[in-house]
Amino acid sequence: MKRTLISVFALFLAVTVFAQENTLLWKISGKGLKKESYLFGTLHMACGEDFKMEDKVKVAAGKVDGLVLEVDLENPNNLAVIQNLMKPNPDFFKDFDPKKKAVIDSVMKSKSLPVEIFDQVPPVVVLSLLTMQSFACSDPTNIKMMEMELKKLAELKDKPVAELETPEFQINLLNNLFHAEDLYNYLKDSDSQVAATKKLVAAYFSENIKDIEKLSEEMDYLSPEGHDKLLKERNNAWMEKLPTLLKEKPLLVAVGAAHLVGEKGLIKLLKKQGYKVTPVLD
C-alpha cells in the first residue's frame, strides 16, 4: 500500500519538456549565494532493471547541505495524511457516458483490475496502478522511486529534507484535475502505453531532452488548463519559496523534470530572478 500511495503522484508528475541541453542536472549560482546549489529533474519511478543514478548527481549531492523535494513521501507524518485522504469518490462517474464507462470496465478487466476497485480507493490510485503496469517491469515488486533513491545516497545521508508542498495540496490538486473523461482517454489508448512508457524511460535515462519532449506530448491527456495548474502555477508557487531556501544553504532541489524547462519552467524563472543556471553535463 505504501508504494501504491507514493506512486499515485508518478504519472501526474511525469516528464514534459522543451528543447534544452541534454542534461537533467543544473547548477544554481550568483545573486549573492555563498555556495552553489543544484536543480535536478526526476522521473519519480522506474523499473529496477532500468534505473540508474548518474555520478554527476552523486557529486552534486556531496556538495550540498540538504535536499529539497516536492513532498517527502517517506515522512511518516505525510504517509499518515495520505492514507487518511485516500478515500473513494462516489460521484466520480456521476452523469458519465455509459458507453464510455463500459469501455473503462472492459479495459480494467483485461488488466486484471476489478471495476469494484473504485468503491475502495480514489480513481487516482487506480490510474497509478495502471501506470505501474505500463512500465512492464520484469519484477513488478522492484520499482525504484527516484526521490527515495536520492535519500539513500551516502552523500545525502542524515542531511535535512525540505518540502515545497504538503501532501494535502498534492492530493487535492490531483482530485480536482483528474476526471472520468481523463481516465477514459487514458484507457482507450492503453495498448500503446507500454511501448510509449519504455521509450520515455529510455529517453529520460539517456537525458535525451528532444525525445522526452516528443514522447511526453504524445502521452499527454490533460487539458491545457489542467497542464498549467499542474506545472506553471506550481512553479510560480515554488519560486516564492526557493530563494529563501537557497540563501540559507546549498541544496539539491529535486523535482519532476517537467518543472525545469519552458518559458515558465524553473530554469527560466530562476534566471529571471537573477540566478545563474548552468547545465552540468558530466
Side-chain angles (χ1 to χ4, degrees), residues 14-19 189 193 196 200 209-222 227:
V15 182
T16 311
V17 297
F18 303 93
D189 295 324
Q193 292 298 326
L200 180 61
I209 302 302
K210 290 184 179 180
D211 280 358
I212 292 172
E213 176 189 2
K214 178 184 177 184
L215 290 165
S216 299
E217 289 176 350
E218 292 174 355
M219 297 171 70
D220 190 13
Y221 59 89
L222 288 177
H227 189 79

Side-chain angles (χ1 to χ4, degrees), residues 8-191:
V8 164
F9 303 100
L11 176 71
F12 296 90
L13 305 175
V15 182
T16 311
V17 297
F18 303 93
Q20 296 278 354
E21 288 88 346
N22 276 350
T23 183
L24 296 168
L25 182 66
W26 298 75
K27 181 171 64 176
I28 307 171
S29 59
K31 201 178 179 181
L33 295 183
K34 296 180 180 179
K35 293 184 178 181
E36 59 196 25
S37 288
Y38 293 87
L39 178 64
F40 177 51
T42 70
L43 183 61
H44 295 307
M45 61 184 285
C47 299
E49 63 263 30
D50 297 324
F51 182 86
K52 63 180 178 179
M53 187 75 70
E54 296 290 344
D55 288 340
K56 63 184 178 183
V57 177
K58 298 176 184 178
V59 171
K63 295 180 179 180
V64 301
D65 293 336
L67 177 65
V68 179
L69 301 175
E70 295 174 26
V71 172
D72 182 3
L73 296 174
E74 287 190 302
N75 183 315
N77 294 329
N78 286 345
L79 282 173
V81 171
I82 294 170
Q83 288 177 324
N84 187 52
L85 292 174
M86 287 289 113
K87 299 176 181 179
N89 178 2
D91 296 324
F92 186 71
F93 290 112
K94 184 178 180 180
D95 300 324
F96 189 59
D97 186 338
K99 292 182 179 179
K100 291 183 177 180
K101 178 61 166 61
V103 172
I104 291 175
D105 292 350
S106 176
V107 177
M108 291 282 293
K109 291 177 182 177
S110 72
K111 296 183 177 298
S112 302
L113 290 173
V115 295
E116 294 82 8
I117 195 172
F118 291 101
D119 298 326
Q120 303 166 7
V121 297
V124 290
V125 173
V126 178
L127 185 56
S128 173
L129 293 172
L130 291 167
T131 303
M132 292 174 70
Q133 286 188 359
S134 75
F135 278 79
C137 301
S138 60
D139 179 1
T141 66
N142 185 23
I143 293 180
K144 299 288 187 181
M145 305 295 177
M146 185 165 286
E147 286 77 6
M148 292 184 184
E149 298 304 314
L150 282 170
K151 291 178 64 178
K152 291 178 183 178
L153 292 178
E155 293 85 352
L156 289 172
K157 185 178 181 181
D158 298 326
K159 292 180 180 179
V161 179
E163 299 173 286
L164 294 170
E165 295 174 336
T166 65
E168 293 96 330
F169 172 83
Q170 287 201 347
I171 290 172
N172 289 333
L173 173 69
L174 299 182
N175 284 338
N176 290 330
L177 286 181
F178 183 55
H179 306 289
E181 188 71 22
D182 300 312
L183 178 62
Y184 169 76
N185 288 334
Y186 178 81
L187 286 177
K188 71 178 182 179
D189 295 324
S190 62
D191 289 343

Side-chain angles (χ1 to χ4, degrees), residues 267-280:
I267 293 172
K268 287 288 183 69
L269 293 178
L270 285 164
K271 288 181 177 180
K272 286 180 180 179
Q273 285 205 12
Y275 295 97
K276 183 179 181 181
V277 187
T278 55
V280 180

Side-chain angles (χ1 to χ4, degrees), residues 177 220-233:
L177 286 181
D220 190 13
Y221 59 89
L222 288 177
S223 67
E225 295 78 13
H227 189 79
D228 285 350
K229 287 183 179 295
L230 189 65
L231 297 178
K232 295 179 181 179
E233 291 184 15

